[in-house]
Amino acid sequence: MTEELFREDAFARQCDASVVGLAEDGVRLDRTVFYCTGGGQPGDRGRLVLKDGSSLVVIDTLKAADGIVHRLAEGSVLPPVGAHLQAEIDWQRRHRLMRMHSSMHLLCRAVDCPVTGGQVGEARSRLDFDAGDSKLDKEAIAARLAQWIAEDRPIRHFWIDAEELEARPELVRTMAVRPPTGSGRVRLVEIEGLDLQACGGTHVRSTGEIGKVEVGKIENKGRQNRRVNLVLGD
Ligand SMILES: [Zn+2]
């Protein structure tokens, strides 16, 4: 299995690693800073720099049964198992994803309805809510987000046992997917005074770091389903 450095430190941009396995179009490393697709957040892109100075372009990162696969650009020559390299993420893109992902937690709190799905992107993201008969007020949602961002509340994570999560099902909310529970532990993400939920994604350090977000369209997706779009500023 791959050691997932991004779970403990979302701000690590690079790490030394060794190739431990090959996939059809990519490599598995013993450790990585590349976030793998999951929880509505896309996998990282970046590059792997080999000892001779040459580099391979990583176009996506995915979880496989035996570790994390760094998918390489078409035509790449796979390095041999055992090769040492430096893994470097596209930090500009990742930081935007972290800002957007963190804003999804605020949105989750701003709209007090069950989440039925979601997707994080670099420029825009969305959450779907089962809104029942309630009407979502775009201006009110925008005002709440702006206030919480201005308050610059700390965002932190910690781990609990999988059994504890079973006993507290309310902690599973965002994106309607279960968080990774490998090794019997579950990661919780807390936005101070606002939100606490199981989440394996990458987040900024405080709400102020999210910066400018705008509430985009609120779309009807089915009788009770409402899709709220957020657009990230620069
Ligand atoms: Zn999260």
Side-chain angles (χ1 to χ4, degrees), residues 35 39 41 98 101-102 104-105 120 155 174-175 187-189 191 195 197-203:
Y35 180 79
Q41 182 178 332
M98 284 161 58
H101 182 124
S102 304
M104 293 288 100
H105 283 253
V120 175
I155 302 176
T174 312
M175 318 298 185
R187 192 163 171 275
L188 293 187
V189 173
I191 301 181
D195 187 51
Q197 60 178 285
C199 183
T202 58
H203 311 82

Side-chain angles (χ1 to χ4, degrees), residues 63-218:
K63 187 120 180 180
D66 50 1
I68 291 174
V69 174
H70 303 72
R71 288 190 58 216
L72 300 177
E74 209 177 318
S76 300
V77 177
L78 298 184
V81 170
H84 296 291
L85 50 79
Q86 180 160 270
E88 297 176 1
I89 58 172
D90 176 343
W91 174 250
Q92 213 174 2
R93 174 174 179 269
R94 159 70 95 69
H95 192 249
R96 289 184 67 86
L97 290 169
M98 284 161 58
R99 290 167 61 203
M100 283 252 71
H101 182 124
S102 304
S103 74
M104 293 288 100
H105 283 253
L106 295 184
L107 181 59
C108 201
R109 177 63 198 263
V111 179
D112 193 19
C113 300
V115 176
T116 57
Q119 183 62 47
V120 175
E122 292 160 63
R124 42 201 320 126
S125 302
R126 59 180 164 79
L127 279 183
D128 290 352
F129 296 93
D130 180 353
D133 294 326
S134 56
K135 195 175 179 312
L136 303 187
D137 181 342
K138 179 174 163 171
E139 303 307 320
I141 295 170
R144 280 182 179 164
L145 296 182
Q147 184 196 327
W148 293 335
I149 289 168
E151 288 170 355
D152 198 20
R153 293 170 181 252
I155 302 176
R156 57 178 79 89
H157 75 269
F158 52 96
W159 299 85
I160 61 168
D161 293 339
E163 299 96 63
E164 196 178 338
L165 186 73
E166 296 296 326
R168 301 176 67 188
E170 75 278 7
L171 293 175
V172 179
R173 289 178 61 189
T174 312
M175 318 298 185
V177 292
R178 290 192 62 78
T181 53
S183 73
R185 295 191 310 162
V186 182
R187 192 163 171 275
L188 293 187
V189 173
E190 178 185 39
I191 301 181
E192 197 173 277
L194 277 183
D195 187 51
L196 174 65
Q197 60 178 285
C199 183
T202 58
H203 311 82
V204 291
R205 285 178 278 226
S206 66
T207 55
E209 197 177 339
I210 293 170
K212 197 167 184 293
V213 286
E214 283 173 24
V215 180
K217 277 188 300 199
I218 297 182

